[in-house]
Amino acid sequence: MAARLLWAVRRQMQPLASHAASEGSTATQRTAGEDCNSEDPPDELGPSLAERALKLKAVKLEKEVQDLTVRYQRAVADSENIRRRTQRCVEDAKIFGIQSFCKDLVEVADILEKTTECISEETEPADQKLTLEKIFRGLSLLEAKLKSVFAKHGLEKMTPIGDKYDPHEHELICHVPAGVGVQPGTVAFVRQDGYKLHGRTIRLARVEVAVESQRRL
């Protein structure tokens, strides 16, 4: 009786053991497959892509450097050309800047030459009056022409009589007693006229300045 029961139990356990073994084998296969699938890809692909990217970037940067170098060289060449042209213009301005003024002065020289031609050693005493009249007319014409040329080119004569003494425009020669109607510290007499060019003093006027009698030098 006991033997029959033992045999029956063993028979029932065999399917369970077989099923457990089958599940264990499947789990082992799954684990092995997961281990195989979890392996890292070969290291050969990663560095290859990185190297290609670096090479492309290097080529791009090299082209940019070449382009910037060409632009820099062109800019330097243009700057040098501009500097030379500017220098040449400045030199021409220094040489020919007074060309218009000289052209007007030539006309003044013509008038002066014609005036001097009126005077000659062979002039008769009876003709001296006529000669003097021609010289006077010539000199008057010369003065008018000079004033016209000066005004045209911005050259202005200073007549500072009665003006307050200004060391930037006047050169003090001496002091004189202030007369009637003359204020101390003002210009009483002009020894030599001064000139301004476009408002800038180019020659000081030589003047005598009025002072009170007790301050006379």
Side-chain angles (χ1 to χ4, degrees), residues 187-200:
V187 176
F189 183 76
V190 178
R191 291 282 188 89
Q192 187 181 60
D193 293 326
Y195 283 89
K196 288 183 178 182
L197 180 62
H198 297 292
R200 177 185 295 180

Side-chain angles (χ1 to χ4, degrees), residues 20-161:
S22 176
E23 289 183 352
S25 177
T26 303
T28 301
Q29 291 177 358
R30 289 178 180 175
T31 303
E34 291 177 356
D35 292 341
C36 292
N37 293 331
S38 64
E39 290 182 358
D40 294 334
D43 295 338
E44 296 179 356
L45 296 177
S48 178
L49 294 175
E51 288 177 359
R52 290 181 181 178
L54 289 175
K55 287 181 179 179
L56 292 175
K57 189 174 182 180
V59 171
K60 183 178 180 181
L61 291 175
E62 185 176 356
K63 290 182 179 179
E64 291 180 358
V65 170
Q66 292 177 354
D67 183 46
L68 291 175
T69 302
V70 171
R71 290 184 180 181
Y72 171 76
Q73 292 175 350
R74 290 178 180 175
V76 171
D78 292 341
S79 177
E80 181 64 19
N81 291 334
I82 293 174
R83 186 190 67 81
R84 291 178 180 177
R85 286 196 297 268
T86 303
Q87 184 177 1
R88 186 163 54 251
C89 290
V90 171
E91 293 175 355
D92 291 343
K94 290 180 180 179
I95 297 174
F96 302 104
I98 60 172
Q99 181 176 351
S100 178
F101 183 70
C102 293
K103 184 179 178 181
D104 293 333
L105 283 182
V106 170
E107 298 181 8
V108 176
D110 293 338
I111 297 173
L112 182 60
E113 184 178 356
K114 291 180 180 180
T115 303
T116 56
E117 288 177 356
C118 296
I119 305 173
S120 64
E121 297 179 356
E122 300 178 356
T123 303
E124 298 294 334
D127 297 333
Q128 288 182 357
K129 183 178 179 180
L130 180 60
T131 301
L132 290 176
E133 290 178 356
K134 290 181 179 180
I135 293 174
F136 178 77
R137 287 196 301 268
L139 292 177
S140 299
L141 182 60
L142 180 63
E143 182 183 12
K145 185 62 179 178
L146 274 176
K147 289 181 179 179
S148 174
V149 171
F150 289 169
K152 178 180 178 181
H153 294 277
L155 188 60
E156 176 187 2
K157 183 171 71 173
M158 294 187 293
T159 54
I161 293 180

